[in-house]
Amino acid sequence: MRSLVAGNWKMNGSLAMAAGLVADIKARHQKAVLPVDLLLCPPFPYLAAVGSQLKGAGIALGGQDCHTAGSGAHTGDVSAAMLVDLGCCYVILGHSERRTDHSESSVLVASKAKAAIGAGLVAIICVGETEAQRNAGDQNKIVEKQIVESVPADATAENAVIAYEPVWAIGTGKTPTVGDVEAMHRHIRGLLKQRVSGGAAMRILYGGSVKPTNAAELMAVPEVNGALVGGASLKAEDFWGIAEGAAKSAG
Ligand code: PEP
């Protein structure tokens, strides 16, 4: 399975910073095409500019959220069709920051994923436990509930990707042990095989404090099929270092 390395810029950057970052990543990609799929997910206002810079570069564009509806009276929201219009192929859904900041439930995430898939996007559906849940030993139960409720019935290996992101590892510099990552990814794989058509082939990304220094080790873990990268995706050198780490386990 080809790995996917996705950069989630969150609400960071400026038009100028985006242009510089994309130019740097493109230059690295032109020098050495890696055997991994690359994806950039800038904030909505920069999608058009980043999309036109990425044209023909072989690097995909994605949004960080979308609405369940195709259009209508939803001030401040963006539909999946609008993302497609701007050249997006992917959308991140159910990120823990949206689950927390906007009280998004797994049921809402499933309807967003259904809308995204219907519009032709690949939905990256995020799941992950909090530190308290892990300390209580409840991580498998929590992630299972999130998968059951957030992954729509029409998800397949072609139109959906799971991102396992322990909430306590996001932006903290802390990561689970390699053994814990493997255990959770095997758990998720088992659930996908039971519940999703082609679940054996659906990509499962790891996210949470991935850096160039730990990427190769994390990407080599069985059932880890790429990374969702936050902070480190804002520096071309770091994002590229992570892509190189993922490429090592591809080889
Ligand atoms: C994320 O926000 O998806 C993420 C994984 O962030 P970070 O890499 O900064 O931990």
Side-chain angles (χ1 to χ4, degrees):
M1 203 183 301
R2 204 172 146 92
S3 290
L4 171 66
V5 178
N8 172 16
W9 294 5
K10 311 192 188 194
M11 196 176 70
N12 289 301
S14 63
L15 210 43
M17 172 270 194
L21 180 53
V22 175
D24 196 337
I25 292 170
K26 261 176 70 176
R28 290 168 194 266
H29 186 56
Q30 272 155 9
K31 261 201 237 153
V33 174
L34 301 173
V36 297
D37 292 337
L38 298 175
L39 165 66
L40 301 181
C41 301
F44 289 144
Y46 306 145
L47 277 171
V50 171
S52 75
Q53 234 183 319
L54 287 181
K55 223 160 250 158
I59 300 173
L61 182 71
Q64 297 177 16
D65 183 42
C66 71
H67 198 273
T68 55
S71 64
H74 302 290
T75 304
D77 280 315
V78 167
S79 74
M82 291 169 181
L83 297 179
V84 172
D85 238 1
L86 288 170
C88 291
C89 299
Y90 291 83
V91 62
I92 300 170
L93 296 172
H95 190 283
S96 72
E97 286 151 16
R98 291 209 61 88
R99 289 178 187 262
T100 303
D101 295 356
H102 300 273
S103 306
E104 291 195 2
S105 67
S106 290
V107 172
L108 177 66
V109 174
S111 346
K112 289 185 173 197
K114 196 169 164 46
I117 290 167
L121 293 170
V122 177
I124 301 179
I125 301 168
C126 303
V127 296
E129 81 285 355
T130 63
E131 190 155 37
Q133 289 163 339
R134 177 159 283 267
N135 289 341
D138 288 338
Q139 67 275 7
N140 282 8
K141 200 170 71 185
I142 294 295
V143 167
E144 177 163 352
K145 189 170 186 313
Q146 289 174 332
I147 298 260
V148 169
E149 293 177 357
S150 311
V151 178
D154 49 358
T156 66
E158 284 71 44
N159 63 27
V161 171
I162 303 298
Y164 168 57
E165 300 205 301
V167 178
W168 52 273
I170 296 177
T172 59
K174 294 194 251 179
T175 52
T177 64
V178 162
D180 285 345
V181 172
E182 179 173 352
M184 180 57 81
H185 279 241
R186 284 195 190 280
H187 176 54
I188 294 173
R189 177 66 67 211
L191 294 168
L192 295 178
K193 280 183 178 166
Q194 276 168 28
R195 308 187 52 84
V196 173
S197 132
M202 186 178 283
R203 289 197 274 208
I204 308 171
L205 312 184
Y206 168 77
S209 296
V210 180
K211 300 178 276 252
T213 47
N214 62 17
E217 185 184 34
L218 287 165
M219 296 303 109
V221 172
E223 304 294 2
V224 171
N225 313 120
L228 182 53
V229 186
S233 71
L234 297 169
K235 276 178 79 185
E237 192 183 350
D238 289 353
F239 185 66
W240 197 256
I242 291 168
E244 286 177 330
K248 276 189 197 146
S249 49

Short mmCIF file of all heavy atoms in Angstrom, two decimals, residues 16-52:
data_model
loop_
_atom_site.label_atom_id
_atom_site.label_comp_id
_atom_site.label_asym_id
_atom_site.label_seq_id
_atom_site.Cartn_x
_atom_site.Cartn_y
_atom_site.Cartn_z
N ALA A 16 1.80 34.87 1.80
CA ALA A 16 3.23 34.87 1.45
C ALA A 16 3.93 33.61 1.98
O ALA A 16 4.73 32.99 1.28
CB ALA A 16 3.89 36.12 2.03
N MET A 17 3.60 33.25 3.21
CA MET A 17 4.21 32.05 3.80
C MET A 17 3.80 30.81 3.00
O MET A 17 4.62 29.93 2.72
CB MET A 17 3.76 31.95 5.26
CG MET A 17 4.15 30.68 5.97
SD MET A 17 2.85 29.45 5.76
CE MET A 17 3.32 28.27 6.97
N ALA A 18 2.53 30.75 2.59
CA ALA A 18 2.03 29.60 1.82
C ALA A 18 2.81 29.48 0.51
O ALA A 18 3.24 28.39 0.13
CB ALA A 18 0.53 29.75 1.56
N ALA A 19 3.00 30.61 -0.16
CA ALA A 19 3.71 30.59 -1.46
C ALA A 19 5.13 30.08 -1.28
O ALA A 19 5.62 29.26 -2.07
CB ALA A 19 3.70 31.99 -2.06
N GLY A 20 5.81 30.54 -0.24
CA GLY A 20 7.19 30.12 0.01
C GLY A 20 7.28 28.63 0.36
O GLY A 20 8.14 27.91 -0.14
N LEU A 21 6.37 28.21 1.22
CA LEU A 21 6.36 26.81 1.67
C LEU A 21 6.10 25.86 0.49
O LEU A 21 6.80 24.86 0.30
CB LEU A 21 5.29 26.65 2.76
CG LEU A 21 5.07 25.29 3.40
CD1 LEU A 21 6.38 24.72 3.94
CD2 LEU A 21 4.05 25.41 4.55
N VAL A 22 5.11 26.21 -0.33
CA VAL A 22 4.77 25.34 -1.47
C VAL A 22 5.92 25.33 -2.48
O VAL A 22 6.29 24.27 -3.02
CB VAL A 22 3.44 25.79 -2.13
CG1 VAL A 22 3.16 24.97 -3.37
CG2 VAL A 22 2.29 25.64 -1.14
N ALA A 23 6.53 26.49 -2.72
CA ALA A 23 7.64 26.54 -3.68
C ALA A 23 8.78 25.65 -3.20
O ALA A 23 9.39 24.91 -3.99
CB ALA A 23 8.12 27.99 -3.84
N ASP A 24 9.07 25.68 -1.92
CA ASP A 24 10.16 24.87 -1.35
C ASP A 24 9.84 23.37 -1.45
O ASP A 24 10.68 22.57 -1.89
CB ASP A 24 10.36 25.30 0.12
CG ASP A 24 11.69 24.81 0.68
OD1 ASP A 24 12.24 23.84 0.14
OD2 ASP A 24 12.18 25.39 1.68
N ILE A 25 8.61 22.99 -1.11
CA ILE A 25 8.23 21.56 -1.18
C ILE A 25 8.26 21.09 -2.64
O ILE A 25 8.76 20.01 -2.95
CB ILE A 25 6.84 21.34 -0.54
CG1 ILE A 25 6.92 21.58 0.98
CG2 ILE A 25 6.31 19.93 -0.82
CD1 ILE A 25 5.57 21.63 1.69
N LYS A 26 7.75 21.95 -3.55
CA LYS A 26 7.75 21.58 -4.97
C LYS A 26 9.18 21.37 -5.49
O LYS A 26 9.46 20.45 -6.25
CB LYS A 26 7.09 22.70 -5.78
CG LYS A 26 5.65 22.42 -6.12
CD LYS A 26 5.00 23.58 -6.84
CE LYS A 26 5.50 23.80 -8.25
NZ LYS A 26 4.78 24.88 -8.94
N ALA A 27 10.07 22.26 -5.08
CA ALA A 27 11.46 22.16 -5.55
C ALA A 27 12.08 20.84 -5.07
O ALA A 27 12.77 20.15 -5.83
CB ALA A 27 12.26 23.35 -5.04
N ARG A 28 11.82 20.48 -3.80
CA ARG A 28 12.35 19.21 -3.27
C ARG A 28 11.74 18.02 -4.03
O ARG A 28 12.43 17.05 -4.33
CB ARG A 28 12.04 19.08 -1.77
CG ARG A 28 12.84 20.07 -0.92
CD ARG A 28 12.30 20.12 0.50
NE ARG A 28 12.84 21.28 1.19
CZ ARG A 28 13.93 21.27 1.97
NH1 ARG A 28 14.59 20.17 2.17
NH2 ARG A 28 14.34 22.39 2.55
N HIS A 29 10.45 18.13 -4.32
CA HIS A 29 9.74 17.05 -5.01
C HIS A 29 10.25 16.88 -6.44
O HIS A 29 10.34 15.76 -6.96
CB HIS A 29 8.24 17.39 -4.99
CG HIS A 29 7.34 16.32 -5.53
ND1 HIS A 29 7.32 15.04 -5.04
CD2 HIS A 29 6.41 16.34 -6.52
CE1 HIS A 29 6.42 14.33 -5.70
NE2 HIS A 29 5.86 15.10 -6.62
N GLN A 30 10.58 18.02 -7.08
CA GLN A 30 11.09 17.93 -8.46
C GLN A 30 12.46 17.27 -8.51
O GLN A 30 12.79 16.56 -9.44
CB GLN A 30 11.13 19.32 -9.11
CG GLN A 30 9.80 19.67 -9.77
CD GLN A 30 9.54 21.17 -9.90
OE1 GLN A 30 10.44 21.98 -9.64
NE2 GLN A 30 8.33 21.53 -10.28
N LYS A 31 13.26 17.52 -7.45
CA LYS A 31 14.61 16.94 -7.41
C LYS A 31 14.57 15.45 -7.14
O LYS A 31 15.39 14.70 -7.66
CB LYS A 31 15.41 17.62 -6.28
CG LYS A 31 16.33 18.71 -6.80
CD LYS A 31 17.44 18.97 -5.80
CE LYS A 31 17.40 20.44 -5.42
NZ LYS A 31 17.91 20.75 -4.13
N ALA A 32 13.64 15.02 -6.27
CA ALA A 32 13.61 13.61 -5.87
C ALA A 32 12.18 13.18 -5.61
O ALA A 32 11.67 13.40 -4.51
CB ALA A 32 14.44 13.43 -4.60
N VAL A 33 11.54 12.63 -6.61
CA VAL A 33 10.16 12.17 -6.41
C VAL A 33 10.20 10.94 -5.50
O VAL A 33 10.89 9.96 -5.80
CB VAL A 33 9.47 11.83 -7.75
CG1 VAL A 33 8.09 11.23 -7.52
CG2 VAL A 33 9.35 13.10 -8.61
N LEU A 34 9.52 11.01 -4.38
CA LEU A 34 9.54 9.90 -3.40
C LEU A 34 8.37 8.94 -3.68
O LEU A 34 7.32 9.38 -4.18
CB LEU A 34 9.41 10.46 -1.99
CG LEU A 34 10.50 11.45 -1.56
CD1 LEU A 34 10.15 12.06 -0.20
CD2 LEU A 34 11.85 10.75 -1.49
N PRO A 35 8.53 7.68 -3.32
CA PRO A 35 7.45 6.71 -3.57
C PRO A 35 6.33 6.80 -2.53
O PRO A 35 5.92 5.80 -1.93
CB PRO A 35 8.19 5.37 -3.50
CG PRO A 35 9.29 5.62 -2.54
CD PRO A 35 9.71 7.05 -2.72
N VAL A 36 5.87 8.01 -2.27
CA VAL A 36 4.75 8.23 -1.34
C VAL A 36 3.83 9.29 -1.95
O VAL A 36 4.27 10.08 -2.78
CB VAL A 36 5.24 8.74 0.06
CG1 VAL A 36 6.11 7.73 0.76
CG2 VAL A 36 5.97 10.06 -0.05
N ASP A 37 2.56 9.28 -1.55
CA ASP A 37 1.63 10.33 -2.00
C ASP A 37 1.73 11.50 -1.02
O ASP A 37 1.77 11.29 0.20
CB ASP A 37 0.20 9.79 -2.02
CG ASP A 37 0.00 8.73 -3.10
OD1 ASP A 37 0.78 8.73 -4.08
OD2 ASP A 37 -0.91 7.90 -2.96
N LEU A 38 1.78 12.70 -1.58
CA LEU A 38 1.89 13.91 -0.74
C LEU A 38 0.61 14.73 -0.86
O LEU A 38 0.02 14.83 -1.94
CB LEU A 38 3.08 14.76 -1.20
CG LEU A 38 4.45 14.09 -1.10
CD1 LEU A 38 5.53 15.00 -1.69
CD2 LEU A 38 4.80 13.77 0.35
N LEU A 39 0.23 15.34 0.24
CA LEU A 39 -1.02 16.11 0.29
C LEU A 39 -0.81 17.34 1.17
O LEU A 39 -0.24 17.22 2.26
CB LEU A 39 -2.13 15.22 0.90
CG LEU A 39 -3.42 15.90 1.37
CD1 LEU A 39 -4.17 16.49 0.19
CD2 LEU A 39 -4.30 14.89 2.11
N LEU A 40 -1.28 18.49 0.70
CA LEU A 40 -1.22 19.72 1.52
C LEU A 40 -2.64 20.20 1.78
O LEU A 40 -3.45 20.31 0.85
CB LEU A 40 -0.44 20.81 0.79
CG LEU A 40 1.02 20.46 0.41
CD1 LEU A 40 1.68 21.65 -0.28
CD2 LEU A 40 1.82 20.03 1.64
N CYS A 41 -2.93 20.52 3.04
CA CYS A 41 -4.25 21.00 3.43
C CYS A 41 -4.12 22.38 4.09
O CYS A 41 -4.03 22.49 5.32
CB CYS A 41 -4.92 20.02 4.39
SG CYS A 41 -5.12 18.37 3.71
N PRO A 42 -4.08 23.43 3.27
CA PRO A 42 -3.97 24.78 3.83
C PRO A 42 -5.34 25.27 4.33
O PRO A 42 -6.36 24.65 4.05
CB PRO A 42 -3.51 25.61 2.62
CG PRO A 42 -3.90 24.84 1.42
CD PRO A 42 -4.09 23.40 1.81
N PRO A 43 -5.36 26.41 5.03
CA PRO A 43 -6.65 27.00 5.42
C PRO A 43 -7.46 27.37 4.17
O PRO A 43 -6.89 27.63 3.11
CB PRO A 43 -6.23 28.27 6.18
CG PRO A 43 -4.80 28.07 6.54
CD PRO A 43 -4.21 27.19 5.50
N PHE A 44 -8.79 27.40 4.31
CA PHE A 44 -9.67 27.68 3.16
C PHE A 44 -9.23 28.89 2.32
O PHE A 44 -9.22 28.80 1.10
CB PHE A 44 -11.12 27.92 3.63
CG PHE A 44 -11.83 26.69 4.12
CD1 PHE A 44 -12.72 26.77 5.18
CD2 PHE A 44 -11.64 25.44 3.52
CE1 PHE A 44 -13.40 25.63 5.65
CE2 PHE A 44 -12.30 24.30 3.98
CZ PHE A 44 -13.19 24.41 5.04
N PRO A 45 -8.88 30.04 2.94
CA PRO A 45 -8.60 31.23 2.10
C PRO A 45 -7.38 31.06 1.19
O PRO A 45 -7.23 31.81 0.23
CB PRO A 45 -8.32 32.35 3.13
CG PRO A 45 -8.91 31.85 4.39
CD PRO A 45 -8.81 30.36 4.37
N TYR A 46 -6.53 30.07 1.49
CA TYR A 46 -5.32 29.90 0.67
C TYR A 46 -5.43 28.75 -0.31
O TYR A 46 -4.48 28.46 -1.06
CB TYR A 46 -4.09 29.70 1.58
CG TYR A 46 -3.92 30.79 2.61
CD1 TYR A 46 -3.43 30.52 3.88
CD2 TYR A 46 -4.26 32.11 2.32
CE1 TYR A 46 -3.29 31.52 4.84
CE2 TYR A 46 -4.14 33.11 3.27
CZ TYR A 46 -3.66 32.82 4.52
OH TYR A 46 -3.54 33.80 5.45
N LEU A 47 -6.58 28.06 -0.33
CA LEU A 47 -6.71 26.89 -1.19
C LEU A 47 -6.51 27.23 -2.67
O LEU A 47 -5.82 26.50 -3.40
CB LEU A 47 -8.08 26.24 -1.01
CG LEU A 47 -8.22 25.29 0.18
CD1 LEU A 47 -9.69 24.89 0.37
CD2 LEU A 47 -7.36 24.04 0.00
N ALA A 48 -7.10 28.32 -3.12
CA ALA A 48 -7.03 28.64 -4.55
C ALA A 48 -5.59 28.93 -4.96
O ALA A 48 -5.09 28.41 -5.97
CB ALA A 48 -7.93 29.84 -4.87
N ALA A 49 -4.89 29.73 -4.15
CA ALA A 49 -3.50 30.09 -4.49
C ALA A 49 -2.60 28.86 -4.44
O ALA A 49 -1.80 28.61 -5.35
CB ALA A 49 -3.00 31.17 -3.53
N VAL A 50 -2.74 28.07 -3.38
CA VAL A 50 -1.89 26.87 -3.25
C VAL A 50 -2.24 25.89 -4.38
O VAL A 50 -1.35 25.29 -5.00
CB VAL A 50 -2.06 26.22 -1.86
CG1 VAL A 50 -1.38 24.87 -1.79
CG2 VAL A 50 -1.51 27.15 -0.78
N GLY A 51 -3.54 25.78 -4.69
CA GLY A 51 -3.96 24.87 -5.77
C GLY A 51 -3.35 25.26 -7.09
O GLY A 51 -2.88 24.41 -7.85
N SER A 52 -3.31 26.57 -7.40
CA SER A 52 -2.75 26.93 -8.71
C SER A 52 -1.23 26.74 -8.70
O SER A 52 -0.66 26.32 -9.71
CB SER A 52 -3.21 28.32 -9.16
OG SER A 52 -2.53 29.29 -8.44
#
